């Protein structure tokens, strides 16, 4: 009923809140890093194909957008469960004796989020790659640079804006993810969005939920502002 910073103080004093915020940042960073490692070679491969082949490959990348997020998450639950496809294959190959804990874990949550986030990274990166003048790469080759050196010293820096935009978009979206951590995490991977929902539905603590929402908003706004300043340089 009155203005108070008690909920913010509780986030600082309570170790569970600090752990949730740290886990959210950690999950977002891991997913973004893997998306970059997988998405950059994929975007480059599509960029080097003919127009028809590139169109087909981009359509394949876009297919997840045509499927409900909830359906995709449930699909990963089936694939990663103890008696799922992955554990079945590993057991048939003799690589494991007991099923791995893939679902209801940080690993399973990361896998599901990586699959969902890849298109958000590939599309802006591919768009930036299409703007690169390949004559610059060929000029580097004609001046004695190897294919690898021309790629790392010419092509990669020129694709930097797309790489930066895709990475930022992926990280920001991961910060507010709810459905996939809720289902694939199985209650073992609590992120900020889940804690907000819990505070409202389980405890009717709107103050704590609002404080977490403000923290999430400030983090995202800070990232976007920093990105704007870096982009202006």
């Amino acid at each position: 009923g009155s203005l108070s910073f008690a909920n913010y103080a509780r986030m600082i004093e309570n170790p569970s809140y600090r752990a949730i915020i740290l886990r959210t940042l950690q999950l977002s960073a891991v997913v973004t890093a893997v998306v970059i490692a997988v998405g950059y070679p994929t975007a480059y491969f599509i960029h080097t194909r003919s127009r028809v082949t590139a169109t087909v490959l981009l359509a394949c990348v876009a297919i997840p957008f045509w499927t409900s997020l909830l359906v995709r998450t449930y699909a990963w639950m089936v694939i990663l469960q103890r008696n799922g496809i992955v554990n079945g294959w590993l057991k048939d190959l003799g690589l494991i004796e007991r099923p791995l804990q893939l679902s209801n874990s940080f690993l399973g949550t990361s896998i599901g989020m990586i699959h969902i986030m890849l298109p958000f990274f590939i599309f802006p990166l591919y768009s930036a790659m299409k703007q690169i003048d390949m004559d610059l790469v060929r000029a580097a080759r004609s001046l004695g640079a190897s294919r690898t050196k021309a790629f790392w010293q010419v092509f990669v820096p020129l694709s930097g804006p797309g790489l930066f935009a895709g990475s930022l978009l992926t990280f920001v979206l991961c910060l507010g993810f709810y459905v996939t951590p809720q289902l694939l995490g199985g209650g073992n991977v609590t992120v900020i969005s889940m804690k907000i929902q819990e505070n409202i539905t389980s405890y009717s603590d709107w103050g704590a939920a609002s404080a977490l929402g403000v923290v999430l908003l400030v983090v995202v706004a800070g990232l976007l502002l920093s990105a704007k300043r870096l982009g202006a340089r």
Side-chain angles (χ1 to χ4, degrees):
S2 60
L3 182 64
S4 172
F5 292 97
N7 290 307
Y8 296 98
R10 181 168 57 180
M11 279 190 284
I12 298 174
E13 298 168 356
N14 194 326
S16 64
Y17 276 91
R18 295 199 301 269
I20 290 171
I21 294 174
L22 180 61
R23 187 178 299 111
T24 303
L25 294 173
Q26 181 184 10
L27 180 62
S28 300
V30 168
V31 171
T32 302
V34 177
V35 164
I36 292 173
V38 175
Y40 195 98
T42 303
Y44 180 74
F45 178 79
I46 297 174
H47 170 68
T48 57
R49 302 302 98 184
S50 65
R51 180 176 297 182
V52 175
T53 305
T55 302
V56 174
L57 292 174
L58 287 174
C60 293
V61 173
I63 285 176
F65 280 115
W66 305 338
T67 307
S68 168
L69 173 64
L70 191 60
V71 172
R72 282 178 278 167
T73 303
Y74 272 114
W76 277 112
M77 290 176 65
V78 173
I79 294 171
L80 299 176
Q81 64 183 345
R82 292 181 62 86
N83 297 320
I85 297 174
V86 175
N87 275 315
W89 284 348
L90 293 176
K91 289 178 68 176
D92 292 340
L93 293 173
L95 298 178
I96 59 173
E97 295 181 358
R98 298 179 180 179
L100 299 177
Q101 184 66 36
L102 299 176
S103 61
N104 301 334
S105 66
F106 186 93
L107 176 60
T109 304
S110 300
I111 292 173
M113 290 178 63
I114 289 166
H115 170 239
I116 294 169
M117 287 291 104
L118 269 172
F120 290 98
F121 176 80
I122 290 175
F123 284 129
L125 178 59
Y126 175 78
S127 178
M129 287 181 175
K130 291 295 292 183
Q131 305 300 319
I132 296 175
D133 185 357
M134 295 304 293
D135 286 340
L136 297 174
V137 179
R138 286 188 283 270
R141 294 292 308 281
S142 67
L143 292 173
S146 64
R147 185 184 298 273
T148 302
K149 194 171 185 179
F151 172 78
W152 284 108
Q153 296 190 3
V154 178
F155 187 86
V156 172
L158 291 175
S159 66
L163 175 62
F164 182 73
S167 303
L168 179 65
L169 179 62
T170 301
F171 188 80
V172 168
L173 289 175
C174 287
L175 288 175
F177 237 74
Y178 172 76
V179 173
T180 303
Q182 176 73 16
L183 296 177
L184 280 174
N188 297 323
V189 183
T190 304
V191 294
I192 293 177
S193 58
M194 293 170 57
K195 188 61 178 177
I196 292 174
Q197 184 265 348
E198 181 184 12
N199 283 336
I200 294 176
T201 59
S202 300
Y203 308 117
S204 297
D205 192 343
W206 289 84
S210 300
L212 275 172
V214 170
V215 168
L216 185 60
L217 178 63
V218 169
V219 171
V220 172
L223 287 171
L224 295 177
L225 182 60
S226 300
K228 182 179 179 181
R229 290 182 176 179
L230 288 173
R233 293 181 179 179

